[in-house]
Amino acid sequence: MRELIKEYFFIPKEGKMHEKAFMGRLTFSIVLILICILGLGVTAYAHFTGSVNGGNNQVVSANYDLDITVNGAEIDLSLPLRLSAGNHSVVMTKKGQASTGFCVVQVAGGNTYNTAQIGKDALNGDCTELSFILSVKEDGTEVHFVPHWGTSTHYVEYKTAGDTNELYIIEGETVSIFAIRE
């Protein structure tokens, strides 16, 4: 092998390049160029003829919404709800593709409450409905219901602190709300 390399590729320091060495290097370069062109052709062919069929898979974002009834009447979530003084039965039912979510109950001029998870829940399993009682202290108290998909930040607090978080609404609970007037 050394003799072949010496014969075809060796150039002495003060000598001229032998014709055999020149032809060996030239042949080697041409072979490398042909291999590169062949590789380019094969990859171009593979690129333009290859295809991937994934069927009819569609990517859709999660949709989470709630049907909310207060005292048996369905409410419009885009409008604030004016409640009279007294107890009001609230039932929230999950709809949409998202597996879990919660509802933020905002009292105008008062506190903001988060409900328990409605949907998949580590504590309650699969809970698709949440019912509780809103005990309103003043006539005309405005309440907004805002559904959110995902897990509430108050969920972790509730799991660690238990029933001591008064801003977290759980199943069957009676929540006293009042607006803070100035």
Side-chain angles (χ1 to χ4, degrees):
M1 183 75 175
R2 277 190 181 172
E3 291 175 14
L4 275 172
I5 292 174
K6 214 176 205 186
E7 186 176 338
Y8 288 104
F9 295 106
F10 179 72
I11 301 173
K13 279 188 178 181
E14 296 180 17
K16 292 185 175 184
M17 184 184 285
H18 297 296
E19 193 172 309
K20 283 185 178 179
F22 177 71
M23 286 305 290
R25 287 186 178 187
L26 185 63
T27 305
F28 183 70
S29 298
I30 290 173
V31 168
L32 282 178
I33 290 172
L34 289 175
I35 289 173
C36 289
I37 290 173
L38 180 69
L40 179 65
V42 168
T43 55
Y45 174 77
H47 174 75
F48 290 114
T49 60
S51 65
V52 176
N53 292 328
N56 292 332
N57 297 337
Q58 292 181 341
V59 177
V60 230
S61 63
N63 178 18
Y64 185 82
D65 206 1
L66 292 172
D67 283 330
I68 301 176
T69 59
V70 177
N71 297 331
E74 194 166 323
I75 64 165
D76 182 4
L77 295 176
S78 63
L79 301 172
L81 178 65
R82 286 191 180 271
L83 295 174
S84 60
N87 290 341
H88 301 277
S89 172
V90 179
V91 178
M92 298 179 173
T93 307
K94 170 193 162 314
K95 65 180 184 176
Q97 298 93 358
S99 63
T100 189
F102 62 99
C103 186
V104 174
V105 181
Q106 299 169 332
V107 180
N111 290 328
T112 298
Y113 301 86
N114 285 11
T115 67
Q117 293 299 119
I118 305 169
K120 296 251 186 248
D121 184 5
L123 294 177
N124 301 327
D126 195 9
C127 169
T128 58
E129 190 174 279
L130 178 72
S131 57
F132 57 93
I133 305 288
L134 280 180
S135 179
V136 180
K137 302 300 179 192
E138 289 184 32
D139 278 337
T141 301
E142 281 190 7
V143 179
H144 294 268
F145 295 97
V146 184
H148 291 274
W149 72 274
T151 303
S152 166
T153 54
H154 294 284
Y155 179 70
V156 176
E157 294 172 14
Y158 174 74
K159 281 180 66 176
T160 55
D163 293 333
T164 60
N165 187 350
E166 65 272 355
L167 299 178
Y168 192 76
I169 301 172
I170 58 174
E171 175 71 30
E173 183 175 35
T174 299
V175 181
S176 296
I177 61 170
F178 54 91
I180 301 170
R181 308 273 183 213
E182 294 177 16

